[in-house]
Amino acid sequence: MRLRTAIRAHPLRSAAIAVGALLLLVAVVAPLRRVTTLAVSRIILVAATPLAPSIDAFDELPQPTKVLAADGSLLGTVSGGELRQPIALKDLPLHVRRAALAAEDQNFYSHGGIDPEAVTRAAWRNLRGGHEGGSTITQQLAKINYAGSKRTVFRKFREALYALKLEQKYTKDQLLERYLNQVYFGDGSYGVAAAAQQTFNVDAPALTPAQAALLLGRIRGPESRDPRTHPQLATARRNVVLHNMRKRGWLKEAQYQTARATPLQLAAPTARPGVLKAPHFVEFVRKEAGTLDALGGSPESRAHR
């Protein structure tokens, strides 16, 4: 009896009931989805505030990990090496930013860190035998920086709490800038600027809509959507991102058709930077480090969930 009374009196109970009702609206009433998404995410944000963890050490991007010889001399770097090139959000064309949203989180600017619409849609499709992630950009940042990638219910709960805390402290533009500078794009490239150079040999501000869609569409599977080894899969994913951009009104019809018809036109691959001595040993260390979440994680841990 006391337990039942405590549950009824718990401050999260009312929020949970409200969230349940609003999630039903998300699933049933399509015209209300945008408003409902915002309302649910804000309720979750307020309800979970007392449980939110510390997000210290988020302000600075991770630095490359150094590989040292026994005598302390530098052999090279891993976790991206010189392929990490931070860029300010304001220096990126609008279509590059929108390609990120179209690929990963179309409601980014309207939710509070968790997107109930995406979660509901992902759960429904997964129940029907498909596979779709419901994580927002903020949740992905929480996973990369704090929660890790071990597949447990507790990890997803921690990820959500960290995401809510990040939404409290940082603006949407700050979070998107961090995401575009930190997320892994394959080929040892961390961040969109490094990926633009490695894939197209262009600076990020010069990316076309087709190029931006290809790069941002690769985040969910950096290896499986590698345009050099899997051009058909990479192109198909690029076209999905372009379609999402057009559907949202972020591309005009003529721009969409031009981008969709654009061939890949990739730059010649360059040697992995950051290796000064003993390249075979540094490469071995890099591969081993790639299995550790603290150093960037495995391909599976970098995949969108």
Side-chain angles (χ1 to χ4, degrees):
M1 179 65 68
R2 289 181 179 178
L3 178 60
R4 182 179 300 174
T5 302
I7 292 174
R8 287 177 178 176
H10 196 282
L12 294 181
R13 181 173 179 269
S14 300
I17 294 174
V19 167
L22 288 171
L23 282 176
L24 182 60
L25 286 175
V26 169
V28 176
V29 187
L32 296 179
R33 284 179 182 171
R34 186 69 58 84
V35 175
T36 304
T37 293
L38 179 59
V40 171
S41 60
R42 296 306 175 191
I43 289 173
I44 295 173
L45 177 62
V46 172
T49 294
L51 305 175
S54 171
I55 53 171
D56 293 338
F58 182 77
D59 293 317
E60 298 296 328
L61 277 170
Q63 296 301 309
T65 301
K66 297 179 180 180
V67 181
L68 304 178
D71 62 2
S73 62
L74 180 64
L75 298 180
T77 58
V78 296
S79 294
E82 297 174 5
L83 291 184
R84 191 189 297 276
Q85 302 170 13
I87 185 170
L89 188 67
K90 63 181 178 60
D91 294 330
L92 290 172
L94 189 57
H95 62 257
V96 174
R97 289 175 262 169
R98 286 174 167 174
L101 306 185
E104 294 296 320
D105 189 355
Q106 296 183 51
N107 296 325
F108 176 68
Y109 279 95
S110 64
H111 62 62
I114 299 171
D115 186 352
E117 180 182 344
V119 171
T120 303
R121 183 175 61 249
W124 175 248
R125 291 186 180 178
N126 291 339
L127 284 173
R128 297 179 64 184
H131 179 72
E132 180 174 336
S135 294
T136 64
I137 282 176
T138 317
Q139 285 177 273
Q140 291 182 59
L141 281 172
K143 178 180 68 177
I144 294 170
N145 290 281
Y146 301 108
S149 300
K150 188 175 181 180
R151 295 192 178 194
T152 66
V153 174
F154 182 66
R155 192 271 292 174
K156 293 296 291 184
F157 178 69
R158 290 179 66 240
E159 175 186 296
L161 291 180
Y162 277 115
L164 294 171
K165 189 70 172 183
L166 289 171
E167 289 275 346
Q168 281 186 318
K169 184 173 181 181
Y170 298 96
T171 67
K172 288 290 189 179
D173 283 352
Q174 287 174 321
L175 293 172
L176 182 57
E177 179 178 297
R178 175 58 175 265
Y179 181 76
L180 289 171
N181 279 314
Q182 186 175 16
V183 74
Y184 184 66
F185 284 84
D187 296 324
S189 301
Y190 290 78
V192 67
Q197 284 287 344
Q198 184 73 354
T199 307
F200 299 110
N201 194 28
V202 300
D203 294 331
L207 286 168
T208 67
Q211 292 170 334
L214 182 78
L215 292 183
L216 275 304
R218 190 176 173 182
I219 292 174
R220 292 193 187 187
E223 282 74 27
S224 63
R225 294 184 173 93
D226 184 338
R228 293 190 177 93
T229 57
H230 303 287
Q232 292 182 330
L233 290 176
T235 301
R237 177 59 183 162
R238 178 199 71 176
N239 291 344
V240 169
V241 176
L242 290 171
H243 171 77
N244 290 342
M245 294 175 72
R246 181 187 62 169
K247 184 174 66 175
R248 287 277 179 163
W250 297 337
L251 282 181
K252 295 180 180 179
E253 182 64 24
Q255 292 175 307
Y256 168 72
Q257 294 297 342
T258 298
R260 186 180 171 88
T262 301
L264 294 183
Q265 297 176 325
L266 307 175
T270 59
R272 182 177 298 277
V275 178
L276 305 177
K277 303 176 183 177
H280 296 294
F281 177 71
V282 174
E283 181 66 11
F284 169 77
V285 173
R286 182 192 67 78
K287 289 181 179 179
E288 290 297 307
T291 66
L292 304 176
D293 283 328
L295 299 179
S298 64
E300 289 76 18
S301 72
R302 289 189 294 260
H304 178 74
R305 295 192 180 98

